[in-house]
């Protein structure tokens, strides 16, 4: 059975999970499934489920293509963003802005989730799939 933290991401025991950006946000460690591979910046690590943690719209615009390229056919992408203040700055991301950026990169937002009191996520799949 997947860990409780994996539930919002719809991760099964057999899914390969790659995570981008989590090293920048140590507070999200409890949200990650035990089997997750923490990717280095700009690497491509193919997975069934890719989690991308971003702190700003600029981070998302910069990192989305790398994370999306790591999603294997039939897989999915979760873009995780802060819904609360981080490091004293107000977040410039919300469900609508994340979904819009995901769409402009040929992905279809198919859902969203509240991960905890500080983080939410938009779930995407390749457009037309």
């Amino acid at each position: 059975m997947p860990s409780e933290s994996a539930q919002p991401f719809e991760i099964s025991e057999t899914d390969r999970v790659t995570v981008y950006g989590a090293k920048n946000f140590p507070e999200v460690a409890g949200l990650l499934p035990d089997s997750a591979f923490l990717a280095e910046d700009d690497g491509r690590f193919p997975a069934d489920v890719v989690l991308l943690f971003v702190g700003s719209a600029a981070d998302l615009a910069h990192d989305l293509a790398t994370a999306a390229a790591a999603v294997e056919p039939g897989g999915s992408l979760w873009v995780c963003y802060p819904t609360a203040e981080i490091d004293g700055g107000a977040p410039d991301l919300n469900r609508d802005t994340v979904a819009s950026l995901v769409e402009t990169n040929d992905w279809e937002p198919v859902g969203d989730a509240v991960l905890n009191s500080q983080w939410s996520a938009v779930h995407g799949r390749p457009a037309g799939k």
Side-chain angles (χ1 to χ4, degrees):
M1 171 176 266
S3 68
E4 194 63 31
S5 63
Q7 292 304 319
F9 300 118
E10 303 170 4
I11 296 170
S12 76
E13 287 181 26
T14 59
D15 283 339
R16 293 170 298 143
V17 180
T18 295
V19 180
Y20 291 90
K23 70 179 183 175
N24 299 323
F25 307 103
E27 71 274 12
V28 303
L31 300 172
L32 305 178
D34 295 336
S35 62
F37 175 76
L38 301 179
E40 296 295 325
D41 293 335
D42 301 324
R44 182 179 182 275
F45 302 91
D48 303 304
V49 179
V50 173
L51 310 178
L52 171 60
F53 286 85
V54 295
S56 68
D59 292 343
L60 178 55
H62 180 265
D63 299 336
L64 183 57
T66 298
V71 179
E72 287 290 299
S76 64
L77 171 70
W78 287 88
V79 177
C80 308
Y81 59 95
T83 54
E85 213 172 276
I86 290 185
D87 294 332
D92 61 352
L93 294 170
N94 60 46
R95 182 187 65 209
D96 295 335
T97 58
V98 172
S100 178
L101 283 167
V102 165
E103 283 180 316
T104 61
N105 283 275
D106 295 327
W107 283 75
E108 178 181 355
V110 294
D112 55 71
V114 174
L115 305 179
N116 63 24
S117 64
Q118 295 182 332
W119 289 87
S120 292
V122 170
H123 185 201
R125 297 208 185 272
K129 303 286 181 201

